[in-house]
Amino acid sequence: MGGQYRITGDKYPRMRRPRRRGRLVVLTAASLAVLGFAGWGTLQLIDVFTGGDPAPSTGARTACAVEANPAAAPKALPEPGTITVNVLNATTRGGLAQKTADELKKRGFRIGEVANATEEYDKKVKSTGLLLGPASALDTSLPVLGAQLAGAEHRTDAAREGNEVDLIIGDGFRSLTEKADADRALAALAEPEPEPAVKKNC
C-alpha cells in the first residue's frame, strides 16, 4: 500500500469499540435507586409487623405528661362513743327528739339533753337538721354526726365551750340516714379518695 502509513508484518492493530460511559453512569444510578427503594420498603414492613410508631420529628410537640395527685392522708376522726349529742326538736311534731336520740344511742353515740329547741331555733330550721358545736368540732365531731343525717347544716359557735354538739331537728327531717349508708360515709371521711390526675406540659 502506498501513502504515508504502511502496514508491515503479519500483526494488525486491535480495533476496539468505544466505551459508552454514559450508559454505565445511568445503570449505576438506577441500581442505587432500586437499593434505596428496597431499603425503605423493608423499614415500612418492619413498622407494620412490629406495630412501631414512627419516631417523632425534631421539634414535634411531646405528649402530655400525666401527674397523679397523691392520696390524702387518712383523717383521725373521733369514735361515736366519745361524742356527746344533745338532741333538740325544732318542729311541731312531738316525740322526734326522743326517737332520734334512741337511734343515735344504738349507733354508739353518747346522749346528753333531749328536749325542744330553744326559741332561737324553734320552728326556724327548714332543712333536715342543724348540727351545732364549738369551733373545735368543725372537722371532728360534726362530720361524724353529720354522716348520720344527710343534708344537715354544720355550724360552729366560737363562744361555745366544751365538746358537746347539738342535733337540732328541722322541718325537712324524716329519719336518720340508714346505718349502712352512714357507715360508708364515715369510711369515706376517714380515707378520702385521691383527686383526679392532672395533665401537664400540654
Side-chain angles (χ1 to χ4, degrees):
M1 297 179 62
Q4 184 178 358
Y5 301 98
R6 295 183 179 180
I7 297 175
T8 58
D10 56 355
K11 293 183 180 180
Y12 298 90
R14 182 178 296 177
M15 304 299 291
R16 295 182 180 178
R17 298 177 62 181
R19 295 180 180 179
R20 298 184 179 179
R21 294 185 179 180
R23 179 179 296 179
L24 183 60
V25 171
V26 171
L27 289 176
T28 301
S31 299
L32 292 176
V34 170
L35 290 175
F37 280 115
W40 179 82
T42 302
L43 291 176
Q44 294 300 313
L45 288 175
I46 291 174
D47 285 342
V48 168
F49 287 105
T50 60
D53 295 329
S57 58
T58 303
R61 190 176 183 179
T62 58
C64 295
V66 178
E67 181 176 328
N69 292 323
K75 293 183 179 179
L77 296 174
E79 294 293 329
T82 64
I83 302 174
T84 300
V85 184
N86 300 318
V87 184
L88 309 174
N89 186 4
T91 75
T92 57
R93 291 173 285 167
L96 281 183
Q98 187 61 57
K99 181 179 178 181
T100 303
D102 292 342
E103 181 60 30
L104 287 174
K105 187 175 181 179
K106 291 179 182 178
R107 300 186 184 188
F109 290 88
R110 299 173 63 183
I111 304 301
E113 182 183 4
V114 179
N116 291 325
T118 61
E119 185 178 354
E120 181 181 1
Y121 298 105
D122 190 29
K123 302 179 184 64
K124 298 176 182 177
V125 180
K126 303 302 180 184
S127 62
T128 59
L130 171 64
L131 308 183
L132 181 64
S136 60
L138 182 60
D139 295 324
T140 56
S141 301
L142 290 184
V144 175
L145 181 58
Q148 313 302 317
L149 183 57
E153 179 186 355
H154 297 195
R155 189 181 301 177
T156 60
D157 183 356
R160 185 164 177 169
E161 297 180 354
N163 54 10
E164 293 185 357
V165 293
D166 297 343
L167 190 163
I168 305 174
I169 300 172
D171 292 338
F173 179 87
R174 294 295 177 268
S175 65
L176 293 175
T177 302
E178 293 292 335
K179 187 176 185 307
D181 294 334
D183 290 343
R184 281 193 289 269
L186 281 175
L189 286 173
E191 296 185 5
E193 296 182 357
E195 297 180 1
V198 178
K199 288 185 177 181
K200 292 187 176 182
N201 300 328
C202 295

